[in-house]
Amino acid sequence: MPFSLHGIGVSRGYAIGRTYLLQRNQPEITEYTIPDNIVEDEVQRFLNSLEIARRQLQDIRMRVPPTAPGDAAAFIDAHLLMLQDAMFTEAPIHLIRDRHCNAEWALKIQRDLLIEIFEQMDDPYLRTRKDDIDHVVRRVQRVLVTEDPAYLSDPDYADLASSRLEGRVIVADDMTPADTILMQHQGVQAFVTEYGGPLSHTAILARSLGIPAVVGVRNARGYLGHDEPVIVDGRQGVILIGLDERILRYYRHKQREERRQQRELSKLKGKPAITRDEVTIGLYANIELPEDATAVRDVMADGVGLYRTEFLFMNRADAPDEEEHLASYLHVIKTLEGSPITIRTADLGADKQVDGGRGGPVTTNPALGLRAIRMCLKDLGMFRPQLRAILRASAHGPVRMMIPMLSNIHEVFQVLRLVDETKQELRERGLAFDERLPIGGMIEVPAAAVCAAQFARYMDFLSIGTNDLIQYTLAIDRVDDEVNYLFDPLHPAVLTLIHHTIRSGQKAGIPVSLCGEMAGDSRYTRLLLGLGLTEFSMHPTGLLEIKKVIQDSHVGELKEIARRLLRTTDIEKYAEILKDIAQN
Ligand code: PEP
Ligand code: MG
């Protein structure tokens, strides 16, 4: 009898294969007291475990094939850096010495403390990174419990490095970046995890690798047996079990169809995104890591529409300096060989304890607090090096600078003044930069969208961040599962603000792009074209599908329908017109 499990589909595609249940045998951690005379031995035992964990990760790092997506190696590097960070190397030692507790327990205390801090973070991406803390702590705890200095005793390693995964659907509680690397090129069909969301490691890496994945399938390992035939639908977030020949035939057909479509789409690389009525649309990519630029080049995007620079600030106690910023930006410039790159200044959340106490205190409402440009303007010691680096990078390629979460025009004036000061500083240092570096703003707050004309007057371009714009317009915390059902990109208020922003930019004669998740979701492409959007920025993997929809669309007709949509107050008519747009 067939039945299904449901989760969040985070990487599209259909997989048909047998399950491989990844049981991690996480050791039970208990507390015990260390006698006075051997406390230093316990400290040494802890330091040894860090060293073994480091060797394990280095070994895995060396296995990253040159063809792997940039995310993979960068995640391992982040874990290696964490193992050197005082939060792991010093804090547990103080706990062992002060409380005379065992090393495993000291790590647990430190882990709980760090997780609590991460959970209060405003930025959903950084919030998801609490998984990194867990992965690193678990690795060290396993070394401590097994007391075996050989890295091959790592059960994950032994399991995953074997070649038993060919054709398998991996089912796990959660997956570490190291897991994913060990599994690469072993013919894994799909990932299913019990935890994680669209921004988890599993999700990001699965998308980069083009492997279907469903996350957040509660108790998946309770329902699924080992070596059980299943179908994974990575688009709908469904796992089908108890398969019969009819279902198998149907999904084999869908799988073939999907592959055929992918082959067709790959022919669109390098072709222009021009609509049926000859309107040229710019298709740009969003990136998080310098290494992601390779995927942007592979898909032949028009450039980078959003480079999220928050990664540079993660897993460290201090802010990156000017040279570190610059090195990352130069890497992207070099990879993209002349395509424009929009670097967004730090969009960090309100909570700063984990990164050396920068910014303000933890507040009850971090999304409305000191985040993004507000924090940068408050912490110039952190902001100025980034400004200098972006300016210096502009001497090497077509760079643009973009400011997140503007809500008040005076923030723009402050930024422009700081940029002028920075230019003067660089001139005095004899360093080159683009005197006309374009500076744009993200429209993510309803106040900024309503006053878009004001922002357009002082900025060189605008970019609509719908992830935040929807959050703030509809008063829905974008990371709160309880209200997720209200997160509606099609809400008339959201569409009115998007339309108004685009129109304001057009009237001012400046480009307006859209770089939230909506841009990469083909269900909204025609609607956005109808609202007048001419530049989209999205995850590179979705770009060709969006291009196909654009090539099949007629902007003139869509604009006409969108006009009717924005005018109607009849809810049934609204739904009908939306359907009309989707089918046009
Ligand atoms: C957005 O808010 O739509 C956006 C692109 O920025 P981020 O998701 O990084 O907040
Ligand atoms: Mg945003």
Side-chain angles (χ1 to χ4, degrees), residues 234-252:
R235 185 188 282 260
Q236 301 295 335
V238 175
I239 295 109
L240 293 166
I241 310 129
L243 312 175
D244 58 30
E245 195 43 46
R246 194 177 48 88
I247 297 179
L248 278 168
R249 221 177 309 123
Y250 175 71
Y251 274 94
R252 279 193 200 112

Side-chain angles (χ1 to χ4, degrees), residues 121-122 124 127 364-367 467 470-472 474-484 487:
M121 285 191 160
D122 167 35
R127 197 154 130 177
T364 44
N365 243 329
N467 306 341
I470 298 168
Q471 153 167 271
Y472 292 123
L474 305 182
I476 292 156
D477 185 342
R478 65 192 253 197
V479 292
D480 185 347
D481 290 345
E482 294 292 323
V483 287
N484 229 341
F487 193 89

Side-chain angles (χ1 to χ4, degrees), residues 28 123 210 293 313 330 413 436 477 480 482 484 516 518 537 570:
E28 192 70 23
D123 185 288
F313 292 80
L330 291 182
F413 298 153
R436 297 154 67 99
D477 185 342
D480 185 347
E482 294 292 323
N484 229 341
M518 255 183 114
S537 190
D570 179 327

Side-chain angles (χ1 to χ4, degrees), residues 123-125 286 288 306 308 310 344 347 371 404 442-444 464-469 478 515-517:
D123 185 288
Y125 185 81
N286 295 352
E288 268 112 33
L306 167 63
R308 293 182 165 104
E310 294 77 51
R344 178 174 77 181
D347 186 13
R371 60 163 289 207
M442 286 190 76
I443 301 297
E444 308 187 90
I464 307 171
T466 41
N467 306 341
D468 276 313
L469 185 62
R478 65 192 253 197
C515 62
E517 289 302 303

Side-chain angles (χ1 to χ4, degrees), residues 261-298:
Q261 276 173 9
Q262 287 305 326
R263 278 195 303 276
E264 282 304 305
L265 286 179
S266 67
K267 291 183 192 156
L268 297 182
K269 279 184 198 172
K271 301 255 164 66
I274 300 182
T275 64
R276 274 165 32 222
D277 51 341
E278 314 260 306
V279 179
T280 301
I281 305 294
L283 290 183
Y284 296 83
N286 295 352
I287 62 168
E288 268 112 33
L289 293 166
E291 291 82 359
D292 294 341
T294 314
V296 180
R297 192 186 53 201
D298 290 350

Side-chain angles (χ1 to χ4, degrees), residues 46 81-94 110 317:
F46 171 67
L81 275 174
M82 281 165 80
L83 279 175
Q84 291 165 24
D85 194 288
M87 68 183 176
F88 279 113
T89 56
E90 288 170 21
I93 293 179
H94 292 312
Q110 179 64 3

